[in-house]
Amino acid sequence: MGKLFSFFLFLFSVLVSAQDSINAEGITFLSDFEESHFTNFANGAEEDYIAALLGIDSTMTVSKAAKIKSNVDNFLEGLKKKSLSYNPKKKVKYIFNEVHDRFFRKYELDANFSDIFKSQTYNCVSGTALYTYAFDYLGVPYQIKETPTHVFLVAYPFQYDIYVETTLPGKAGSYVPSEFIIKKAIDNLVSMKILTSDYVNSVGYNKAYNDYYYGNENITKKDLVGIQYYNKGIFLLNGSKYQRAYWNMQKSSLVYENEKTKIFNEGILTLLMDELDFSNMENFKWFITFTKINQETDYLKYKLYSIISNDKLSEFDMVQVEEKLAEVENTDLRNALMETFYSFKAEKAYKFQNTSEALEYAQKIYELNPNNINAKNYIALIELDKLAQKNISDARLEDLTDLVERYPFLEEFGLYNRYRVYLYSFLVANSFNNNQKVAGDAYLNELEQLLKENKEGSLDFNQGAIGKAYGEIGAYFYRKGQKENAMRMLKRGLEFSPENEDIERKIRLINQSY
């Protein structure tokens, strides 16, 4: 059977072929014929069984499929009268041999259903599929069994349990095990402690044999269609056709409920994440597809960053990335990826001193994650710098208050208090320069409170602004003839800003006037 469980093999396969360009946003079908009949069958249209099996052939058409079905039906119609005269065991053997002689010539591991009618090439999946159709047509009850590497049929289950092995022609193709064989097989299982004698005694040898060798779980004709696509996916995988392998696994999963298709799809997409050239934005759709089955946020954020940090991507490409990220279905994951994207954009814009763009992206990050320290930092740097570029006046105090109301976190940043020192220093200097002592004292109180809080030197502030503030205070008192007060305030300024040249110069001037 064409199920090569090659998970470890494909992890070390060669790079993706450049010609594998498949639409990753929705399953890509080989033809309109495949899409219509496959999806109909997937949705329960039982009459499309043969068409669904044939759709895996990209050259299949409605007329070709109809002709194949008609030929099969005519052949089976010819078997119907004679098969009715046989007992169940002979009937199964007769049908088996006639179908095998008519349709099967060569066993090939990678054959698909349409190959039966092109070259009489088959494997256990396609062979079993044709026998299920024949048994349905001729009224033979059956069950379809699956093992990890094989599928086969059991005709007349619970009555004769006739094993139908499609890959073996002649007498070996269908048989009923004798009571002797059954007893010997079960006794061996008991001796190996695989089964217990109590269990065998309670259910009987025949049921114990059937349950162990044939299994309790059956698969359906729909599963057979899915297994055919699963097999094709494995062969494409082993041939390093990863993208096409993925879509065959996807088709398989629509009709074949099995965990291994999900495992393989995740493995294939992981390979694609490492091998695809994401400088070609067409390939970014595979990243979005990957997010549907792998939601390891840290890895996806790392992978996204490695993609968007490629210098070959244009601004148009980046717009496409943003639009595609909006399609990620998981809200938390989408927000995390958007945060990574906006962080990259903000960082790049800020490095190129495009502060308006950096602020735009920082605000988007902040909306997604108010705890993002980089977003807070960009907002603090840019907004406070914008404020600092304006003419300094008491109106800036209102601006600063408004800004903190919008971004309360600004008070956590040193730049906020540095700006306040600068602003209050200017307001103090301006007030005393204009002989507005009451206003000046109020501003000075705020300034000195800030400077006292920074007694340990945790804040870098503008020494020139401090010198200007205390210098204007000294000048005010000097103009008023209050030289002692002038000296007292200047020396007080030196307590907050030692060795301040502006303050020391004013002190020297006053000393020279004595």
Side-chain angles (χ1 to χ4, degrees), residues 5 27 34 59 65 73-74 77 92-93 114 119 130 170 174 189-190 197 213 219 229 231 247 296 315 417 420 480:
F5 196 85
I27 293 179
E34 180 191 33
T59 67
D73 288 350
N74 290 337
E77 191 64 30
V92 171
K93 183 176 181 180
S114 66
S119 59
L130 184 58
S174 64
L189 293 174
V190 171
S197 56
Y213 286 101
I219 64 172
Y229 281 97
N231 286 347
W247 288 119
E296 295 179 10
E315 281 305 308
N417 280 326
R420 291 176 71 203
K480 296 290 185 180

Side-chain angles (χ1 to χ4, degrees), residues 424 427-429 431-432 436-445 473:
Y424 280 117
L427 294 174
V428 167
S431 298
F432 279 98
Q436 298 171 346
K437 184 176 183 300
V438 174
D441 285 340
Y443 292 137
L444 180 62
N445 182 60
I473 295 172

Side-chain angles (χ1 to χ4, degrees), residues 81-95 139-141 155-156 159-160 162 176:
K81 184 176 180 180
K82 190 171 183 179
S83 66
L84 291 174
S85 64
Y86 289 134
N87 64 40
K89 294 179 184 179
K90 287 187 177 181
K91 183 175 184 178
V92 171
K93 183 176 181 180
Y94 170 70
I95 295 170
V140 176
Y156 292 97
Q159 185 179 4
Y160 298 102
I162 304 172
V176 180

Side-chain angles (χ1 to χ4, degrees), residues 472-488:
E472 289 296 341
I473 295 172
Y476 169 82
F477 283 112
Y478 186 81
R479 288 195 302 272
K480 296 290 185 180
Q482 301 175 25
K483 293 183 180 181
E484 290 183 3
N485 281 338
M487 290 293 286
R488 178 175 59 83

